[in-house]
Amino acid sequence: MSPINEATKPHVVLLPYPSQGHVTPMMSLAKLLHSRGFHITFVNTEFNHKRLIRSKGPDSVKGLPDFRFATIPDRMPPSDENATQDITLLCDTTRKMCLVQFKEFLTKLNISFGEVPPVTCVIFYGVMTFGIKAAQDLGIPGVTFWTASVCAFVG
């Protein structure tokens, strides 16, 4: 496979649901795409980003020039650092508040052209429907990534 030109390198933004069982497979997809020459921006909520740093250390999110980590506010109230978030509240907050945050993030990312390639695709976890709305509003192709098993999906 020939190397991809930096100026035309595809730039994928990945947006997992903020729960470990969803972040882990999305991270695997991000690494696979990166190994194929894609520029990656992996977006976590602030809460999950802090948990990642606590568990793996600050070097775990330094990334590479073409594999970056970013955050969007989750607007969740502060909680015990070792506790998981209130899932019901998390679902409600992401549904109601993350569209504006994510859309602003994508806009800023595309304005920083030269520093990073323009966003060519958004891959979002299935229930993060604001991801497709933000992508559509900005004219960026969006793809749903579903991490559930086939059995769960059929159910």
PDB file of all heavy atoms in Angstrom, residues 24-55:
ATOM      1  N   THR A  24     -13.788   1.001  24.018  1.00  0.00           N
ATOM      2  CA  THR A  24     -12.739   0.040  23.659  1.00  0.00           C
ATOM      3  C   THR A  24     -12.840  -0.430  22.207  1.00  0.00           C
ATOM      4  O   THR A  24     -11.849  -0.360  21.471  1.00  0.00           O
ATOM      5  CB  THR A  24     -12.743  -1.146  24.648  1.00  0.00           C
ATOM      6  OG1 THR A  24     -12.545  -0.623  25.970  1.00  0.00           O
ATOM      7  CG2 THR A  24     -11.657  -2.146  24.318  1.00  0.00           C
ATOM      8  N   PRO A  25     -14.005  -0.886  21.714  1.00  0.00           N
ATOM      9  CA  PRO A  25     -14.066  -1.292  20.302  1.00  0.00           C
ATOM     10  C   PRO A  25     -13.878  -0.123  19.336  1.00  0.00           C
ATOM     11  O   PRO A  25     -13.296  -0.284  18.264  1.00  0.00           O
ATOM     12  CB  PRO A  25     -15.442  -1.921  20.134  1.00  0.00           C
ATOM     13  CG  PRO A  25     -16.105  -1.896  21.438  1.00  0.00           C
ATOM     14  CD  PRO A  25     -15.233  -1.207  22.423  1.00  0.00           C
ATOM     15  N   MET A  26     -14.347   1.068  19.725  1.00  0.00           N
ATOM     16  CA  MET A  26     -14.152   2.237  18.871  1.00  0.00           C
ATOM     17  C   MET A  26     -12.670   2.583  18.789  1.00  0.00           C
ATOM     18  O   MET A  26     -12.174   2.971  17.725  1.00  0.00           O
ATOM     19  CB  MET A  26     -14.965   3.422  19.407  1.00  0.00           C
ATOM     20  CG  MET A  26     -14.978   4.624  18.503  1.00  0.00           C
ATOM     21  SD  MET A  26     -16.028   4.499  17.041  1.00  0.00           S
ATOM     22  CE  MET A  26     -17.634   4.855  17.724  1.00  0.00           C
ATOM     23  N   MET A  27     -11.955   2.412  19.898  1.00  0.00           N
ATOM     24  CA  MET A  27     -10.510   2.650  19.895  1.00  0.00           C
ATOM     25  C   MET A  27      -9.814   1.639  18.983  1.00  0.00           C
ATOM     26  O   MET A  27      -8.873   1.993  18.258  1.00  0.00           O
ATOM     27  CB  MET A  27      -9.948   2.566  21.314  1.00  0.00           C
ATOM     28  CG  MET A  27      -8.456   2.823  21.392  1.00  0.00           C
ATOM     29  SD  MET A  27      -7.968   4.473  20.849  1.00  0.00           S
ATOM     30  CE  MET A  27      -8.570   5.435  22.215  1.00  0.00           C
ATOM     31  N   SER A  28     -10.269   0.401  18.990  1.00  0.00           N
ATOM     32  CA  SER A  28      -9.693  -0.615  18.094  1.00  0.00           C
ATOM     33  C   SER A  28      -9.897  -0.223  16.636  1.00  0.00           C
ATOM     34  O   SER A  28      -8.985  -0.352  15.815  1.00  0.00           O
ATOM     35  CB  SER A  28     -10.326  -1.989  18.358  1.00  0.00           C
ATOM     36  OG  SER A  28      -9.995  -2.441  19.643  1.00  0.00           O
ATOM     37  N   LEU A  29     -11.085   0.274  16.312  1.00  0.00           N
ATOM     38  CA  LEU A  29     -11.352   0.736  14.950  1.00  0.00           C
ATOM     39  C   LEU A  29     -10.448   1.922  14.605  1.00  0.00           C
ATOM     40  O   LEU A  29      -9.882   1.981  13.511  1.00  0.00           O
ATOM     41  CB  LEU A  29     -12.823   1.126  14.793  1.00  0.00           C
ATOM     42  CG  LEU A  29     -13.213   1.715  13.437  1.00  0.00           C
ATOM     43  CD1 LEU A  29     -12.957   0.722  12.304  1.00  0.00           C
ATOM     44  CD2 LEU A  29     -14.682   2.156  13.464  1.00  0.00           C
ATOM     45  N   ALA A  30     -10.284   2.847  15.547  1.00  0.00           N
ATOM     46  CA  ALA A  30      -9.423   4.015  15.315  1.00  0.00           C
ATOM     47  C   ALA A  30      -7.991   3.577  15.014  1.00  0.00           C
ATOM     48  O   ALA A  30      -7.357   4.097  14.091  1.00  0.00           O
ATOM     49  CB  ALA A  30      -9.456   4.942  16.531  1.00  0.00           C
ATOM     50  N   LYS A  31      -7.490   2.631  15.780  1.00  0.00           N
ATOM     51  CA  LYS A  31      -6.122   2.140  15.561  1.00  0.00           C
ATOM     52  C   LYS A  31      -5.996   1.448  14.209  1.00  0.00           C
ATOM     53  O   LYS A  31      -4.984   1.614  13.513  1.00  0.00           O
ATOM     54  CB  LYS A  31      -5.722   1.181  16.685  1.00  0.00           C
ATOM     55  CG  LYS A  31      -5.498   1.878  18.010  1.00  0.00           C
ATOM     56  CD  LYS A  31      -5.187   0.866  19.096  1.00  0.00           C
ATOM     57  CE  LYS A  31      -4.976   1.515  20.443  1.00  0.00           C
ATOM     58  NZ  LYS A  31      -4.726   0.523  21.505  1.00  0.00           N
ATOM     59  N   LEU A  32      -7.003   0.687  13.828  1.00  0.00           N
ATOM     60  CA  LEU A  32      -6.987   0.020  12.525  1.00  0.00           C
ATOM     61  C   LEU A  32      -6.970   1.042  11.390  1.00  0.00           C
ATOM     62  O   LEU A  32      -6.163   0.940  10.459  1.00  0.00           O
ATOM     63  CB  LEU A  32      -8.199  -0.904  12.393  1.00  0.00           C
ATOM     64  CG  LEU A  32      -8.363  -1.620  11.063  1.00  0.00           C
ATOM     65  CD1 LEU A  32      -7.214  -2.595  10.831  1.00  0.00           C
ATOM     66  CD2 LEU A  32      -9.693  -2.351  11.023  1.00  0.00           C
ATOM     67  N   LEU A  33      -7.840   2.047  11.472  1.00  0.00           N
ATOM     68  CA  LEU A  33      -7.862   3.083  10.435  1.00  0.00           C
ATOM     69  C   LEU A  33      -6.543   3.859  10.394  1.00  0.00           C
ATOM     70  O   LEU A  33      -6.030   4.163   9.318  1.00  0.00           O
ATOM     71  CB  LEU A  33      -9.033   4.042  10.671  1.00  0.00           C
ATOM     72  CG  LEU A  33     -10.422   3.453  10.452  1.00  0.00           C
ATOM     73  CD1 LEU A  33     -11.505   4.410  10.947  1.00  0.00           C
ATOM     74  CD2 LEU A  33     -10.635   3.095   8.996  1.00  0.00           C
ATOM     75  N   HIS A  34      -6.000   4.160  11.568  1.00  0.00           N
ATOM     76  CA  HIS A  34      -4.717   4.867  11.634  1.00  0.00           C
ATOM     77  C   HIS A  34      -3.618   4.046  10.958  1.00  0.00           C
ATOM     78  O   HIS A  34      -2.792   4.589  10.220  1.00  0.00           O
ATOM     79  CB  HIS A  34      -4.356   5.180  13.088  1.00  0.00           C
ATOM     80  CG  HIS A  34      -3.103   5.951  13.230  1.00  0.00           C
ATOM     81  ND1 HIS A  34      -1.933   5.377  13.656  1.00  0.00           N
ATOM     82  CD2 HIS A  34      -2.823   7.261  12.978  1.00  0.00           C
ATOM     83  CE1 HIS A  34      -0.984   6.294  13.674  1.00  0.00           C
ATOM     84  NE2 HIS A  34      -1.495   7.443  13.264  1.00  0.00           N
ATOM     85  N   SER A  35      -3.624   2.743  11.190  1.00  0.00           N
ATOM     86  CA  SER A  35      -2.597   1.886  10.580  1.00  0.00           C
ATOM     87  C   SER A  35      -2.723   1.842   9.060  1.00  0.00           C
ATOM     88  O   SER A  35      -1.781   1.489   8.370  1.00  0.00           O
ATOM     89  CB  SER A  35      -2.667   0.461  11.148  1.00  0.00           C
ATOM     90  OG  SER A  35      -3.789  -0.243  10.635  1.00  0.00           O
ATOM     91  N   ARG A  36      -3.900   2.218   8.545  1.00  0.00           N
ATOM     92  CA  ARG A  36      -4.136   2.264   7.099  1.00  0.00           C
ATOM     93  C   ARG A  36      -3.910   3.654   6.518  1.00  0.00           C
ATOM     94  O   ARG A  36      -4.239   3.911   5.369  1.00  0.00           O
ATOM     95  CB  ARG A  36      -5.548   1.792   6.769  1.00  0.00           C
ATOM     96  CG  ARG A  36      -5.814   0.366   7.121  1.00  0.00           C
ATOM     97  CD  ARG A  36      -4.978  -0.517   6.261  1.00  0.00           C
ATOM     98  NE  ARG A  36      -5.377  -1.901   6.464  1.00  0.00           N
ATOM     99  CZ  ARG A  36      -4.756  -2.907   5.924  1.00  0.00           C
ATOM    100  NH1 ARG A  36      -3.728  -2.699   5.133  1.00  0.00           N
ATOM    101  NH2 ARG A  36      -5.142  -4.120   6.165  1.00  0.00           N
ATOM    102  N   GLY A  37      -3.397   4.599   7.342  1.00  0.00           N
ATOM    103  CA  GLY A  37      -3.029   5.905   6.823  1.00  0.00           C
ATOM    104  C   GLY A  37      -4.007   7.028   7.087  1.00  0.00           C
ATOM    105  O   GLY A  37      -3.840   8.125   6.548  1.00  0.00           O
ATOM    106  N   PHE A  38      -5.016   6.806   7.905  1.00  0.00           N
ATOM    107  CA  PHE A  38      -5.985   7.851   8.204  1.00  0.00           C
ATOM    108  C   PHE A  38      -5.483   8.750   9.327  1.00  0.00           C
ATOM    109  O   PHE A  38      -4.816   8.295  10.248  1.00  0.00           O
ATOM    110  CB  PHE A  38      -7.324   7.243   8.657  1.00  0.00           C
ATOM    111  CG  PHE A  38      -8.125   6.616   7.551  1.00  0.00           C
ATOM    112  CD1 PHE A  38      -7.748   5.402   6.999  1.00  0.00           C
ATOM    113  CD2 PHE A  38      -9.264   7.240   7.080  1.00  0.00           C
ATOM    114  CE1 PHE A  38      -8.489   4.815   5.991  1.00  0.00           C
ATOM    115  CE2 PHE A  38     -10.018   6.658   6.072  1.00  0.00           C
ATOM    116  CZ  PHE A  38      -9.627   5.441   5.530  1.00  0.00           C
ATOM    117  N   HIS A  39      -5.838  10.018   9.254  1.00  0.00           N
ATOM    118  CA  HIS A  39      -5.652  10.938  10.375  1.00  0.00           C
ATOM    119  C   HIS A  39      -6.847  10.701  11.296  1.00  0.00           C
ATOM    120  O   HIS A  39      -7.986  10.650  10.843  1.00  0.00           O
ATOM    121  CB  HIS A  39      -5.638  12.395   9.899  1.00  0.00           C
ATOM    122  CG  HIS A  39      -5.394  13.359  11.005  1.00  0.00           C
ATOM    123  ND1 HIS A  39      -4.145  13.887  11.247  1.00  0.00           N
ATOM    124  CD2 HIS A  39      -6.213  13.876  11.942  1.00  0.00           C
ATOM    125  CE1 HIS A  39      -4.215  14.693  12.295  1.00  0.00           C
ATOM    126  NE2 HIS A  39      -5.466  14.696  12.729  1.00  0.00           N
ATOM    127  N   ILE A  40      -6.613  10.543  12.589  1.00  0.00           N
ATOM    128  CA  ILE A  40      -7.661  10.191  13.544  1.00  0.00           C
ATOM    129  C   ILE A  40      -7.801  11.277  14.605  1.00  0.00           C
ATOM    130  O   ILE A  40      -6.809  11.742  15.159  1.00  0.00           O
ATOM    131  CB  ILE A  40      -7.344   8.848  14.245  1.00  0.00           C
ATOM    132  CG1 ILE A  40      -7.200   7.707  13.233  1.00  0.00           C
ATOM    133  CG2 ILE A  40      -8.369   8.524  15.334  1.00  0.00           C
ATOM    134  CD1 ILE A  40      -8.454   7.356  12.480  1.00  0.00           C
ATOM    135  N   THR A  41      -9.040  11.640  14.894  1.00  0.00           N
ATOM    136  CA  THR A  41      -9.361  12.434  16.074  1.00  0.00           C
ATOM    137  C   THR A  41     -10.374  11.617  16.862  1.00  0.00           C
ATOM    138  O   THR A  41     -11.468  11.326  16.369  1.00  0.00           O
ATOM    139  CB  THR A  41      -9.951  13.804  15.717  1.00  0.00           C
ATOM    140  OG1 THR A  41      -8.991  14.530  14.924  1.00  0.00           O
ATOM    141  CG2 THR A  41     -10.264  14.607  16.981  1.00  0.00           C
ATOM    142  N   PHE A  42      -9.980  11.207  18.065  1.00  0.00           N
ATOM    143  CA  PHE A  42     -10.816  10.373  18.922  1.00  0.00           C
ATOM    144  C   PHE A  42     -11.421  11.268  19.997  1.00  0.00           C
ATOM    145  O   PHE A  42     -10.705  11.863  20.791  1.00  0.00           O
ATOM    146  CB  PHE A  42      -9.974   9.260  19.554  1.00  0.00           C
ATOM    147  CG  PHE A  42     -10.775   8.147  20.150  1.00  0.00           C
ATOM    148  CD1 PHE A  42     -11.149   7.062  19.378  1.00  0.00           C
ATOM    149  CD2 PHE A  42     -11.164   8.193  21.477  1.00  0.00           C
ATOM    150  CE1 PHE A  42     -11.894   6.027  19.920  1.00  0.00           C
ATOM    151  CE2 PHE A  42     -11.912   7.166  22.036  1.00  0.00           C
ATOM    152  CZ  PHE A  42     -12.273   6.078  21.254  1.00  0.00           C
ATOM    153  N   VAL A  43     -12.744  11.376  20.011  1.00  0.00           N
ATOM    154  CA  VAL A  43     -13.434  12.309  20.895  1.00  0.00           C
ATOM    155  C   VAL A  43     -14.060  11.573  22.081  1.00  0.00           C
ATOM    156  O   VAL A  43     -14.861  10.659  21.894  1.00  0.00           O
ATOM    157  CB  VAL A  43     -14.537  13.079  20.131  1.00  0.00           C
ATOM    158  CG1 VAL A  43     -15.238  14.062  21.050  1.00  0.00           C
ATOM    159  CG2 VAL A  43     -13.952  13.785  18.912  1.00  0.00           C
ATOM    160  N   ASN A  44     -13.684  11.988  23.259  1.00  0.00           N
ATOM    161  CA  ASN A  44     -14.278  11.487  24.489  1.00  0.00           C
ATOM    162  C   ASN A  44     -15.033  12.606  25.179  1.00  0.00           C
ATOM    163  O   ASN A  44     -14.769  13.781  24.922  1.00  0.00           O
ATOM    164  CB  ASN A  44     -13.186  11.010  25.470  1.00  0.00           C
ATOM    165  CG  ASN A  44     -12.897   9.546  25.339  1.00  0.00           C
ATOM    166  OD1 ASN A  44     -13.805   8.724  25.256  1.00  0.00           O
ATOM    167  ND2 ASN A  44     -11.622   9.193  25.345  1.00  0.00           N
ATOM    168  N   THR A  45     -15.922  12.236  26.098  1.00  0.00           N
ATOM    169  CA  THR A  45     -16.490  13.247  26.979  1.00  0.00           C
ATOM    170  C   THR A  45     -15.409  13.615  27.988  1.00  0.00           C
ATOM    171  O   THR A  45     -14.463  12.853  28.208  1.00  0.00           O
ATOM    172  CB  THR A  45     -17.734  12.723  27.719  1.00  0.00           C
ATOM    173  OG1 THR A  45     -17.356  11.595  28.500  1.00  0.00           O
ATOM    174  CG2 THR A  45     -18.844  12.363  26.748  1.00  0.00           C
ATOM    175  N   GLU A  46     -15.532  14.769  28.603  1.00  0.00           N
ATOM    176  CA  GLU A  46     -14.530  15.213  29.581  1.00  0.00           C
ATOM    177  C   GLU A  46     -14.373  14.194  30.710  1.00  0.00           C
ATOM    178  O   GLU A  46     -13.261  13.896  31.138  1.00  0.00           O
ATOM    179  CB  GLU A  46     -14.913  16.583  30.145  1.00  0.00           C
ATOM    180  CG  GLU A  46     -14.762  17.687  29.131  1.00  0.00           C
ATOM    181  CD  GLU A  46     -15.300  19.020  29.611  1.00  0.00           C
ATOM    182  OE1 GLU A  46     -16.130  19.062  30.553  1.00  0.00           O
ATOM    183  OE2 GLU A  46     -14.887  20.036  29.034  1.00  0.00           O
ATOM    184  N   PHE A  47     -15.487  13.659  31.201  1.00  0.00           N
ATOM    185  CA  PHE A  47     -15.444  12.691  32.300  1.00  0.00           C
ATOM    186  C   PHE A  47     -14.625  11.461  31.912  1.00  0.00           C
ATOM    187  O   PHE A  47     -13.739  11.037  32.634  1.00  0.00           O
ATOM    188  CB  PHE A  47     -16.870  12.286  32.692  1.00  0.00           C
ATOM    189  CG  PHE A  47     -16.928  11.294  33.822  1.00  0.00           C
ATOM    190  CD1 PHE A  47     -16.923  11.731  35.139  1.00  0.00           C
ATOM    191  CD2 PHE A  47     -16.994   9.928  33.586  1.00  0.00           C
ATOM    192  CE1 PHE A  47     -16.984  10.827  36.194  1.00  0.00           C
ATOM    193  CE2 PHE A  47     -17.054   9.024  34.620  1.00  0.00           C
ATOM    194  CZ  PHE A  47     -17.049   9.466  35.938  1.00  0.00           C
ATOM    195  N   ASN A  48     -14.910  10.893  30.726  1.00  0.00           N
ATOM    196  CA  ASN A  48     -14.181   9.694  30.298  1.00  0.00           C
ATOM    197  C   ASN A  48     -12.722   9.983  29.979  1.00  0.00           C
ATOM    198  O   ASN A  48     -11.855   9.147  30.199  1.00  0.00           O
ATOM    199  CB  ASN A  48     -14.868   9.043  29.098  1.00  0.00           C
ATOM    200  CG  ASN A  48     -15.904   8.038  29.528  1.00  0.00           C
ATOM    201  OD1 ASN A  48     -16.173   7.876  30.715  1.00  0.00           O
ATOM    202  ND2 ASN A  48     -16.493   7.368  28.584  1.00  0.00           N
ATOM    203  N   HIS A  49     -12.457  11.165  29.468  1.00  0.00           N
ATOM    204  CA  HIS A  49     -11.072  11.542  29.173  1.00  0.00           C
ATOM    205  C   HIS A  49     -10.259  11.575  30.468  1.00  0.00           C
ATOM    206  O   HIS A  49      -9.142  11.054  30.526  1.00  0.00           O
ATOM    207  CB  HIS A  49     -11.048  12.899  28.468  1.00  0.00           C
ATOM    208  CG  HIS A  49      -9.737  13.248  27.877  1.00  0.00           C
ATOM    209  ND1 HIS A  49      -9.241  12.648  26.738  1.00  0.00           N
ATOM    210  CD2 HIS A  49      -8.798  14.149  28.255  1.00  0.00           C
ATOM    211  CE1 HIS A  49      -8.062  13.153  26.450  1.00  0.00           C
ATOM    212  NE2 HIS A  49      -7.766  14.074  27.356  1.00  0.00           N
ATOM    213  N   LYS A  50     -10.841  12.159  31.515  1.00  0.00           N
ATOM    214  CA  LYS A  50     -10.168  12.199  32.815  1.00  0.00           C
ATOM    215  C   LYS A  50      -9.962  10.792  33.375  1.00  0.00           C
ATOM    216  O   LYS A  50      -8.917  10.501  33.957  1.00  0.00           O
ATOM    217  CB  LYS A  50     -10.965  13.057  33.800  1.00  0.00           C
ATOM    218  CG  LYS A  50     -10.923  14.534  33.478  1.00  0.00           C
ATOM    219  CD  LYS A  50     -11.840  15.325  34.403  1.00  0.00           C
ATOM    220  CE  LYS A  50     -11.927  16.766  33.945  1.00  0.00           C
ATOM    221  NZ  LYS A  50     -12.967  17.506  34.651  1.00  0.00           N
ATOM    222  N   ARG A  51     -10.944   9.922  33.187  1.00  0.00           N
ATOM    223  CA  ARG A  51     -10.804   8.530  33.660  1.00  0.00           C
ATOM    224  C   ARG A  51      -9.684   7.810  32.911  1.00  0.00           C
ATOM    225  O   ARG A  51      -8.929   7.044  33.489  1.00  0.00           O
ATOM    226  CB  ARG A  51     -12.113   7.769  33.490  1.00  0.00           C
ATOM    227  CG  ARG A  51     -13.166   8.179  34.490  1.00  0.00           C
ATOM    228  CD  ARG A  51     -14.365   7.305  34.389  1.00  0.00           C
ATOM    229  NE  ARG A  51     -14.097   6.106  35.192  1.00  0.00           N
ATOM    230  CZ  ARG A  51     -14.937   5.122  35.321  1.00  0.00           C
ATOM    231  NH1 ARG A  51     -16.089   5.143  34.702  1.00  0.00           N
ATOM    232  NH2 ARG A  51     -14.644   4.077  36.055  1.00  0.00           N
ATOM    233  N   LEU A  52      -9.590   8.060  31.609  1.00  0.00           N
ATOM    234  CA  LEU A  52      -8.533   7.440  30.804  1.00  0.00           C
ATOM    235  C   LEU A  52      -7.166   7.886  31.309  1.00  0.00           C
ATOM    236  O   LEU A  52      -6.261   7.067  31.483  1.00  0.00           O
ATOM    237  CB  LEU A  52      -8.718   7.816  29.327  1.00  0.00           C
ATOM    238  CG  LEU A  52      -7.704   7.274  28.340  1.00  0.00           C
ATOM    239  CD1 LEU A  52      -7.727   5.757  28.299  1.00  0.00           C
ATOM    240  CD2 LEU A  52      -7.970   7.837  26.953  1.00  0.00           C
ATOM    241  N   ILE A  53      -7.016   9.159  31.572  1.00  0.00           N
ATOM    242  CA  ILE A  53      -5.745   9.686  32.088  1.00  0.00           C
ATOM    243  C   ILE A  53      -5.433   9.086  33.452  1.00  0.00           C
ATOM    244  O   ILE A  53      -4.299   8.691  33.719  1.00  0.00           O
ATOM    245  CB  ILE A  53      -5.778  11.230  32.148  1.00  0.00           C
ATOM    246  CG1 ILE A  53      -5.791  11.799  30.730  1.00  0.00           C
ATOM    247  CG2 ILE A  53      -4.592  11.770  32.942  1.00  0.00           C
ATOM    248  CD1 ILE A  53      -6.059  13.288  30.672  1.00  0.00           C
ATOM    249  N   ARG A  54      -6.457   8.998  34.318  1.00  0.00           N
ATOM    250  CA  ARG A  54      -6.242   8.417  35.650  1.00  0.00           C
ATOM    251  C   ARG A  54      -5.819   6.960  35.558  1.00  0.00           C
ATOM    252  O   ARG A  54      -4.957   6.497  36.289  1.00  0.00           O
ATOM    253  CB  ARG A  54      -7.532   8.524  36.475  1.00  0.00           C
ATOM    254  CG  ARG A  54      -7.431   9.458  37.616  1.00  0.00           C
ATOM    255  CD  ARG A  54      -8.606   9.417  38.584  1.00  0.00           C
ATOM    256  NE  ARG A  54      -9.865   8.870  38.119  1.00  0.00           N
ATOM    257  CZ  ARG A  54     -10.822   9.573  37.493  1.00  0.00           C
ATOM    258  NH1 ARG A  54     -10.649  10.846  37.243  1.00  0.00           N
ATOM    259  NH2 ARG A  54     -11.936   9.008  37.136  1.00  0.00           N
ATOM    260  N   SER A  55      -6.426   6.213  34.659  1.00  0.00           N
ATOM    261  CA  SER A  55      -6.139   4.780  34.596  1.00  0.00           C
ATOM    262  C   SER A  55      -4.862   4.448  33.823  1.00  0.00           C
ATOM    263  O   SER A  55      -4.129   3.555  34.197  1.00  0.00           O
ATOM    264  CB  SER A  55      -7.338   4.020  34.037  1.00  0.00           C
ATOM    265  OG  SER A  55      -7.226   3.717  32.704  1.00  0.00           O
TER     266      SER A  55
END
